[in-house]
Amino acid sequence: METKMALNYQGKSQKRSAVEKSINAFLIVYLFILLTKAAVCTTLKYVWQSTPYNDEPWYNQKTQKERESLKVLKMFTDFLSFMVLFNFIIPVSMYVTVEMQKFLGSFFISWDKDFYDEEINEGALVNTSDLNEELGQVDYVFTDKTGTLTENSMEFIECCIDGHKYKGVTQETDGLSQTDGPLPYFDKADKVTFSVYGFTFVGIRNGYMRVENQRKEIEEYELLHTLNFDSVRRRMSVIVKTQSGDILLFCKGADSAVFPRVQNHEIELTKAHVERNAMDGYRTLCVAFKEIAPDDYERINRQLIEAKLALQDREEKLEKVFDDVETNMNLIGATAVEDKLQDQAAETIEALHAAGLKVWVLTGDKMETAKSTCYACRLFQTSTELLELTTKTIEESERKEDRLHELLTEYRKKLLREFPKSTRSLKKAWTEHQEYGLIIDGSTLSLILNSSQDSSSNNYKSIFVQICMKCTAVLCCRMAPLQKAQIVRMVKNLKGSPITLSIGDGANDVSMILESHVGIGIKGKEGRQAARNSDYSVPKFKHLKKLLLAHGHLYYVRIAHLVQYFFYKNLCFILPQFLYQFFCGFSQQPLYDAAYLTMYNICFTSLPILAYSLLEQHINIDTLTADPRLYMKISGNAMLQLGPFLYWTFLAAFEGTVFFFGTYFLFQTSSLEENAKVYGNWTFGTIVFTVLVFTVTLKLALDTRFWTWINHFVIWGSLAFYVFFSFFWGGIIWPFLKQQRMYFVFAQMLSSVSTWLAIFLLIFISLFPEILLIVLKNVRRRSARRNLSCKKASDSLSTRPSVRPLLLRTFSDESNIL
Amino acid sequence: IDYTGTDPSSPCNKCLSPNETPCVCTINFTLEQSFEGNVFMYYGLSNFYQNHRRYVKSRDDSQLNGDPSALLNPSKECEPYRRNEDKPIAPCGAIANSMFNDTLELFLVGNESDPTPIILKKKGIAWWTDKNVKFRNPPGGDIPLEERFKGTTKPVNWVKPVYMLDSDQDNNGFINEDFIVWMRTAALPTFRKLYRLIERTNDLHPTLPAGRYYLNITYNYPVHSFDGRKRMILSTISWMGGKNPFLGIAYIAIGSISFLLGVVLLVINHKYRNSSNTADITI
């Protein structure tokens, strides 16, 4: 439990998507409708029954038991029976369909060939299917740098030893015969270094490190102790015994961790080197060593073993010993390795920006390194104005907090001036206004977040948050893993609770991945912890673009449509039933046959929407990836807001009313058949139901933009199944049924021409608004396109004054053309 | 023709008092136009909730299908019309019990002294499947119907038992067509049911020539207590059923709206094409 992972582990909470929250809100609305309907019906029933001949006419008397039961009890049971009658308005089957959609839908990500990476022979991996649609809702992207934006394959560039720079020159310094630690990451960097200098690290055998030197001789060093790397110390050390018996300690680590612990005087030179290298975007590493006298070593050894064996506070004790040991070292030098940007990382970040996402880079690297990487991957443009909140700008002084305060308020003023108070067009504003980038480092961040407990700390935090929200890009460097999570949590709890996405590859990103709404792991070279703890894992950073812009968008649209459609079709279904109560004395008489009631959601209308929600591509995937601005259209859960919800609800109410009253007026006549025979209440219900099934299915067909054979099969198949089932259900006297009420109702119904006409008419009326909308949209789009082309065409002409003599104009036009 | 008799001037007004049984009343009416082709005679009731849940389920379909065990032991749904004086009721239930039992007769007044009765056909008013499959008398081959219904009693409100509904064996018992028509519960509280057919006999004469008629009613069925109405309707039928203004109006309305919108859109489309054309020309 004391591995690095465990220490940075934060406990996983159940991740819920925003869509699920909307579903719950809708459910409450519908539950309310249900209760209202039941209450209205119960009330009206008792109002209606207050006239005795309505309550109990001579032709329809109550049983003795009914007469004797208590009135309050009766009202209660009436209320409950209305609830039962109307309960189909709550789309229970939606949950099943949504789960199936999510489960089956997640296969599309793992099947996507674009996510296949040949280097590791793997495609994308989906660990949770619950969050597919969340990919279409992301507001903030938090990305790690090393291994995520960059390749994490180290290329040695140069090193400097004792202040001298070496670049690919074979030069040997004894001290460089350095180290290996359990951390493969640094190991690699060092290995590269060695091979350039002619030293090859061979491996560890029996506790001896074997290093092959230039002369192909193998030097052995006995590995005595490894002082492990951790992200707080940012360095690691080994204690080795050379063949000659000297005990040496080698330490490597980040410059800030190493410099204060060395006694050399040449620090300045090396420091300059390191700075310059960092500016170029190289990763730098400092190496120092120290000779330990044998008796000193005895003491250290004892302390180390003691600390390692300690049962309590082992961490602290070890740390203390490490701290003691790693002092007064001699600086050897520094290395610089280059970490190349990943393929298309810049394009991806640009696309994400265009899609209205805010990209934050959280890294453990030096500020300079990180900054240049950010420039390289176009997170910061040259026009971006940078606001820096780092130890450098704040300066090491007593007045740290005051200075911080000053800076914060200054930045805020600047930003507020730029952006008018209203946030309505924030996204638009990005393209028009000066872009701002913020750089902050770990120590400053902790100063802001955990500064002394007075009232100003809260203040800092809120100012900081305000600044962050106004910046297009934020770079956080020198971050400890837990700080990454802290930042994510801070953003997550912002007003409006934006959806956050974290992407990272290493164990140090795990807590961030777990903290954010959607965690994406990269199957990188730092092991698989990130990929294993993530919700989705992809081989490369560039895949994020398609994952969000295409898959996320589609998933969101699909599931949003699915949810709305389910509520819609159930309201359509139940509304005629509700209206019928007004005509049957509020007696809970069902309009439809019991078989239809149960089969409606299960068989007649479930498969088309499932197929739709799996296969629909309202916009082509290529278009979606090519035009990131489309992503903005669905941001903020746009399709499940009040507006679309009301639209669907009213559509359903309209259609339900049409179904019922259309049939009602149809039944005003004496007979619908040419042989003058009359229909009963079950025929009434069956007509309504037939119109209903056809309308909701055709409505889905109208919405479908992407037809595959599966869509065709399920849509027409469902309708055919409905017809077939109805014939079958009415074609036999069912021996196990007490009532044969549906016997031949359907067939008899279809023998009437009027019924056919009415069914076609009602379906058409119900779909009329929808058709009209589609036509209008088409016209508008076409005219917009025309306008656009007109504008383009006339742009060249518009500069000319339009009121000129005709002759002159034609003349000049010609001359223009010429 | 409303013959409820709520209006004091109506000849049927006298039948509203319960002690006048049997009550026969006569209503005169005039047909302005002659009826060509087959004419159908309906009775219509209003404010009669045949679609009330308690009412709709108050029947036993297996009994009506001729199941002998169900005949003697009707379903519980029939309560409180299940048993009477310890004998099972056949047919049981509220629907059967409240069967319409007015008798309507139609006379053409040709000359004052000798009115011609119009022949009213009883058969062919129910669904074929109902008559031949869904409704069946209890089995028993040649045994008279009375024997087959042995052990049961008539519904409380009926005057005659079910096996005496008609003298014709093909239209008696459960397969009496008046009964079958009544058992198909109506969808709305105001409804019509087919009562009789008036078939066209001669190609030369209209079925019902224009002229004066009178309707002879044996008034048994009380509707006044629940504020109901009774009517007699004569109607001809076209290939798409009875006269139905709704479908026509709706079709015309929707058709014209669509046409109008089509024209509007066409105009818009045309206009835009024009403008783009002119733009093309100016370039």
Side-chain angles (χ1 to χ4, degrees):
Chain A
M1 280 311 282
E2 302 220 333
T3 58
K4 256 191 300 171
M5 245 189 79
L7 290 175
N8 284 321
Y9 187 74
Q10 292 208 304
K12 196 169 183 175
S13 59
Q14 176 79 41
K15 290 187 180 181
R16 280 185 164 280
S17 76
V19 170
E20 273 173 69
K21 283 174 202 154
S22 321
I23 293 178
N24 290 343
F26 293 172
L27 265 188
I28 289 170
V29 173
Y30 271 70
L31 201 65
F32 180 71
I33 296 180
L34 172 67
L35 289 175
T36 323
K37 275 184 172 179
V40 163
C41 279
T42 319
T43 321
L44 286 176
K45 177 174 178 152
Y46 283 90
V47 171
W48 186 77
Q49 283 184 352
S50 57
T51 32
Y53 63 76
N54 275 340
D55 185 24
E56 200 175 359
W58 63 264
Y59 56 84
N60 186 15
Q61 289 183 344
K62 295 178 186 172
T63 55
Q64 202 59 34
K65 216 169 101 195
E66 276 174 317
R67 248 173 259 163
E68 280 162 1
S69 57
L70 246 133
K71 192 160 185 191
V72 182
L73 200 69
K74 250 198 289 183
M75 279 174 94
F76 184 66
T77 42
D78 273 332
F79 182 74
L80 286 186
S81 4
F82 278 120
M83 293 272 280
V84 170
L85 190 65
F86 299 145
N87 79 70
F88 290 93
I89 201 173
I90 304 292
V92 180
S93 58
M94 181 178 73
Y95 284 91
V96 184
T97 316
V98 164
E99 285 309 314
M100 267 169 81
Q101 191 265 350
K102 283 181 171 174
F103 175 69
L104 296 175
S106 57
F107 285 118
F108 286 109
I109 291 182
S110 29
W111 285 340
D112 195 324
K113 286 212 179 74
D114 289 353
F115 292 159
Y116 188 77
D117 191 67
E118 277 163 12
E119 269 175 53
I120 56 170
N121 272 329
E122 264 180 79
L125 191 77
V126 180
N127 293 331
T128 170
S129 57
D130 265 357
L131 299 167
N132 291 342
E133 70 278 2
E134 208 78 339
L135 291 174
Q137 290 296 302
V138 179
D139 296 309
Y140 286 86
V141 175
F142 296 95
T143 157
D144 178 36
K145 191 178 77 71
T146 317
T148 309
L149 287 176
T150 60
E151 295 264 16
N152 199 9
S153 57
M154 301 300 168
E155 263 173 58
F156 178 77
I157 299 296
E158 63 180 37
C159 76
C160 98
I161 294 156
D162 292 344
H164 304 288
K165 193 171 105 185
Y166 302 95
K167 207 168 195 172
V169 187
T170 315
Q171 183 77 32
E172 159 206 343
T173 316
D174 193 33
L176 247 181
S177 52
Q178 236 255 359
T179 104
D180 170 51
L183 203 69
Y185 182 96
F186 285 96
D187 177 18
K188 194 159 284 158
D190 295 333
K191 260 195 214 159
V192 176
T193 319
F194 290 137
S195 54
V196 170
Y197 285 87
F199 286 91
T200 316
F201 178 71
V202 179
I204 299 177
R205 204 170 60 197
N206 306 331
Y208 286 88
M209 302 201 307
R210 296 148 59 83
V211 174
E212 198 182 83
N213 69 6
Q214 274 169 304
R215 294 174 290 276
K216 303 278 173 209
E217 293 162 2
I218 292 191
E219 296 179 20
E220 284 196 345
Y221 298 87
E222 189 186 350
L223 180 62
L224 296 174
H225 278 291
T226 310
L227 314 186
N228 279 337
F229 177 85
D230 71 54
S231 47
V232 179
R233 276 166 52 235
R234 296 172 201 282
R235 61 180 179 266
M236 69 172 290
S237 308
V238 285
I239 300 174
V240 293
K241 194 175 183 182
T242 58
Q243 279 152 324
S244 53
D246 299 332
I247 294 171
L248 295 170
L249 176 138
F250 291 105
C251 172
K252 70 183 175 99
D255 51 320
S256 61
V258 176
F259 283 147
R261 298 180 173 273
V262 289
Q263 36 161 254
N264 282 31
H265 309 292
E266 298 101 348
I267 293 179
E268 290 309 313
L269 262 173
T270 316
K271 212 172 187 172
H273 270 293
V274 170
E275 299 273 283
R276 219 198 47 245
N277 285 336
M279 294 287 266
D280 293 337
Y282 301 139
R283 299 173 66 93
T284 56
L285 200 65
C286 292
V287 184
F289 87 102
K290 161 179 168 183
E291 225 165 309
I292 302 173
D295 26 332
D296 270 349
Y297 175 71
E298 281 302 307
R299 190 174 47 82
I300 292 167
N301 191 23
R302 218 177 35 247
Q303 279 177 348
L304 273 173
I305 288 167
E306 199 177 291
K308 273 181 188 165
L309 290 180
L311 287 175
Q312 284 165 342
D313 305 328
R314 192 186 320 170
E315 285 304 302
E316 287 84 49
K317 280 181 186 161
L318 270 176
E319 212 138 291
K320 201 168 158 290
V321 178
F322 289 171
D323 235 30
D324 287 347
V325 177
E326 290 166 340
T327 45
N328 291 328
M329 298 179 289
N330 300 307
L331 186 68
I332 301 166
T335 58
V337 287
E338 189 188 12
D339 193 0
K340 267 201 209 139
L341 271 188
Q342 277 194 9
D343 187 26
Q344 289 181 16
E347 284 87 344
T348 309
I349 290 212
E350 249 183 343
L352 294 181
H353 260 279
L357 302 180
K358 301 186 182 189
V359 183
W360 292 33
V361 175
L362 311 180
T363 175
D365 282 359
K366 262 176 79 71
M367 187 192 111
E368 284 78 12
T369 322
K371 201 162 134 188
S372 59
T373 316
C374 286
Y375 273 114
C377 66
R378 284 179 246 168
L379 181 69
F380 296 150
Q381 313 278 352
T382 38
S383 63
T384 310
E385 191 175 332
L386 293 182
L387 313 172
E388 290 185 23
L389 276 177
T390 51
T391 32
K392 239 184 228 168
T393 50
I394 290 173
E395 293 151 16
E396 298 284 339
S397 70
E398 290 296 303
R399 297 164 40 253
K400 244 188 202 168
E401 297 205 352
D402 296 343
R403 174 83 184 125
L404 177 70
H405 185 76
E406 260 171 54
L407 269 175
L408 281 173
T409 39
E410 181 192 324
Y411 286 155
R412 181 172 64 157
K413 258 190 216 154
K414 205 170 178 180
L415 287 165
L416 286 184
R417 216 183 310 125
E418 196 73 26
F419 299 104
K421 263 270 185 236
S422 60
T423 48
R424 67 193 140 76
S425 56
L426 197 63
K427 273 173 187 158
K428 219 182 255 173
W430 286 4
T431 48
E432 292 160 10
H433 289 276
Q434 169 76 44
E435 284 189 11
Y436 283 95
L438 178 76
I439 303 178
I440 188 164
D441 68 0
S443 52
T444 320
L445 187 78
S446 59
L447 204 64
I448 291 175
L449 294 181
N450 333 311
S451 58
S452 50
Q453 287 304 313
D454 53 18
S455 58
S456 64
S457 70
N458 260 331
N459 200 17
Y460 285 157
K461 201 172 167 181
S462 69
I463 295 174
F464 176 65
V465 166
Q466 282 177 2
I467 292 173
C468 288
M469 283 174 75
K470 296 279 160 62
C471 291
T472 38
V474 176
L475 164 65
C476 306
C477 39
R478 285 280 178 246
M479 288 280 159
L482 271 177
Q483 272 183 320
K484 291 185 178 180
Q486 227 174 352
I487 289 225
V488 173
R489 194 179 318 133
M490 185 188 83
V491 173
K492 207 165 92 172
N493 296 333
L494 280 182
K495 204 177 68 187
S497 50
I499 310 294
T500 54
L501 176 144
S502 299
I503 177 163
D505 71 323
N508 55 344
D509 304 317
V510 169
S511 56
M512 161 172 107
I513 285 172
L514 291 178
E515 181 66 41
S516 64
H517 293 99
V518 186
I520 294 186
I522 290 204
K523 297 174 180 172
K525 294 172 183 162
E526 275 188 51
R528 284 294 163 91
Q529 288 102 320
R532 224 172 282 138
N533 282 286
S534 64
D535 303 313
Y536 302 93
S537 59
V538 288
K540 284 270 164 5
F541 184 72
K542 65 176 178 191
H543 297 139
L544 191 64
K545 182 175 167 189
K546 193 181 176 193
L547 189 66
L548 291 186
L549 297 185
H551 285 288
H553 190 126
L554 287 179
Y555 279 125
Y556 176 72
V557 169
R558 286 168 188 167
I559 201 136
H561 198 279
L562 170 85
V563 169
Q564 299 277 27
Y565 181 77
F566 256 94
F567 281 104
Y568 152 84
K569 81 180 167 106
N570 282 287
L571 186 61
C572 270
F573 180 44
I574 285 309
L575 194 68
Q577 181 116 283
F578 170 68
L579 292 171
Y580 192 59
Q581 297 308 310
F582 288 84
F583 295 90
C584 71
F586 307 99
S587 56
Q588 299 118 25
Q589 169 65 22
L591 181 57
Y592 317 114
D593 183 58
Y596 284 156
L597 276 174
T598 37
M599 300 277 279
Y600 177 70
N601 272 328
I602 301 168
C603 300
F604 300 144
T605 58
S606 62
L607 282 180
I609 182 65
L610 182 64
Y612 173 90
S613 66
L614 284 174
L615 301 168
E616 172 70 350
Q617 295 174 19
H618 66 300
I619 302 173
N620 194 304
I621 285 192
D622 295 332
T623 325
L624 279 176
T625 10
D627 190 358
R629 278 171 304 158
L630 290 171
Y631 193 80
M632 272 198 244
K633 276 195 182 169
I634 57 157
S635 65
N637 209 355
M639 285 181 72
L640 290 174
Q641 291 302 317
L642 194 65
F645 176 65
L646 283 181
Y647 167 74
W648 282 91
T649 309
F650 279 120
L651 190 71
F654 166 74
E655 288 182 9
T657 321
V658 166
F659 300 155
F660 183 77
F661 284 105
T663 321
Y664 175 78
F665 286 122
L666 188 73
F667 266 66
Q668 294 302 303
T669 179
S670 46
S671 172
L672 294 169
E673 277 198 274
E674 54 183 332
N675 55 11
K677 289 170 188 171
V678 286
Y679 289 151
N681 61 327
W682 298 116
T683 312
F684 188 96
T686 310
I687 292 178
V688 173
F689 192 78
T690 309
V691 176
L692 168 77
V693 169
F694 274 81
T695 306
V696 294
T697 311
L698 290 178
K699 154 90 175 123
L700 192 67
L702 279 180
D703 286 342
T704 308
R705 292 279 165 282
F706 185 75
W707 285 90
T708 61
W709 64 268
I710 301 177
N711 290 84
H712 281 290
F713 180 72
V714 291
I715 286 187
W716 312 124
S718 289
L719 294 180
F721 175 73
Y722 166 68
V723 174
F724 171 76
F725 174 82
S726 299
F727 272 117
F728 181 61
W729 186 236
I732 302 176
I733 297 265
W734 294 93
F736 55 87
L737 286 180
K738 257 195 266 162
Q739 305 221 330
Q740 307 294 341
R741 49 201 188 187
M742 291 310 288
Y743 185 65
F744 252 76
V745 161
F746 191 72
Q748 191 81 19
M749 181 187 100
L750 290 186
S751 70
S752 151
V753 184
S754 305
T755 317
W756 281 90
L757 288 176
I759 289 175
F760 284 127
L761 177 78
L762 293 180
I763 293 174
F764 185 71
I765 296 181
S766 309
L767 293 176
F768 195 69
E770 197 68 16
I771 295 171
L772 201 65
L773 215 68
I774 290 174
V775 170
L776 280 180
K777 247 184 217 162
N778 259 341
V779 167
R780 202 184 308 151
R781 199 186 311 141
R782 206 172 301 160
S783 64
R785 205 180 300 149
R786 275 210 190 108
N787 274 351
L788 205 70
S789 61
C790 284
K791 213 182 264 171
K792 263 184 205 159
S794 57
D795 260 354
S796 54
L797 310 174
S798 59
T799 44
R800 268 177 277 137
S802 52
V803 274
R804 278 187 303 173
L806 185 70
L807 187 71
L808 188 63
R809 192 160 84 200
T810 38
F811 180 69
S812 69
D813 279 353
E814 273 172 12
S815 67
N816 254 4
I817 292 163
L818 291 172
Chain B
I1 297 160
D2 194 319
Y3 67 93
T4 324
T6 36
D7 186 6
S9 63
S10 161
C12 288
N13 187 247
K14 58 175 179 179
C15 299
L16 291 183
S17 64
N19 41 16
E20 188 105 15
T21 47
C23 172
V24 178
C25 58
T26 305
I27 289 182
N28 292 310
F29 63 96
T30 313
L31 286 182
E32 303 289 339
Q33 280 179 324
S34 63
F35 279 47
E36 310 279 340
N38 292 342
V39 178
F40 302 89
M41 190 180 190
Y42 295 89
Y43 59 89
L45 297 177
S46 59
N47 211 16
F48 189 102
Y49 283 83
Q50 258 207 327
N51 57 7
H52 197 279
R53 178 151 162 264
R54 203 167 57 221
Y55 188 83
V56 169
K57 65 178 188 185
S58 183
R59 64 193 286 166
D60 186 344
D61 277 331
S62 22
Q63 191 192 42
L64 298 171
N65 198 25
D67 184 350
S69 63
L71 181 71
L72 297 173
N73 188 18
S75 145
K76 258 189 230 136
E77 306 281 352
C78 284
E79 290 290 3
Y81 304 101
R82 188 167 166 235
R83 287 172 172 278
N84 188 23
E85 294 160 356
D86 278 348
K87 275 185 169 177
I89 294 177
C92 77
I95 312 179
N97 183 54
S98 59
M99 185 180 154
F100 183 75
N101 57 359
D102 281 2
T103 313
L104 307 174
E105 288 163 309
L106 197 59
F107 294 92
L108 169 65
V109 189
N111 41 13
E112 285 304 316
S113 58
D114 182 24
T116 341
I118 308 286
I119 300 161
L120 302 174
K121 214 174 141 237
K122 283 181 181 176
K123 289 213 253 177
I125 55 175
W127 291 15
W128 187 90
T129 47
D130 281 2
K131 165 110 182 167
N132 292 288
V133 188
K134 195 171 164 184
F135 288 80
R136 274 187 199 145
N137 280 322
D142 293 333
I143 314 164
L145 265 187
E146 194 177 344
E147 287 295 310
R148 298 197 228 163
F149 280 102
K150 205 174 170 187
T152 63
T153 182
K154 69 177 175 68
V156 191
N157 289 10
W158 286 22
V159 185
K160 294 179 280 187
V162 68
Y163 45 83
M164 285 168 70
L165 282 174
D166 198 355
S167 52
D168 184 354
Q169 277 305 301
D170 284 343
N171 196 25
N172 202 2
F174 287 151
I175 55 171
N176 177 275
E177 294 201 16
D178 286 338
F179 175 66
I180 295 173
V181 167
W182 181 256
M183 290 305 281
R184 182 154 292 280
T185 48
L188 300 166
T190 300
F191 59 88
R192 297 166 186 191
K193 283 186 186 289
L194 189 56
Y195 185 63
R196 293 290 182 262
L197 313 176
I198 306 169
E199 272 188 338
R200 179 168 199 176
T201 46
N202 192 328
D203 279 348
L204 299 173
H205 296 289
T207 327
L208 289 181
R212 292 202 299 126
Y213 291 83
Y214 69 84
L215 182 68
N216 220 352
I217 301 141
T218 315
Y219 198 111
N220 295 317
Y221 205 69
V223 292
H224 189 64
S225 65
F226 54 88
D227 206 14
R229 289 280 176 180
K230 295 198 283 191
R231 284 167 302 149
M232 190 279 297
I233 300 113
L234 290 172
S235 153
T236 53
I237 291 289
S238 68
W239 54 272
M240 52 176 284
K243 205 169 138 198
N244 197 347
F246 163 70
L247 270 183
I249 293 172
Y251 263 97
I252 289 169
I254 292 298
S256 37
I257 290 176
S258 311
F259 180 74
L260 217 77
L261 278 169
V263 169
V264 168
L265 289 177
L266 202 72
V267 166
I268 293 175
N269 197 4
H270 198 66
K271 213 170 137 193
Y272 275 111
R273 188 178 303 150
N274 263 0
S275 69
S276 80
N277 280 350
T278 49
D280 284 341
I281 289 163
T282 38
I283 294 165

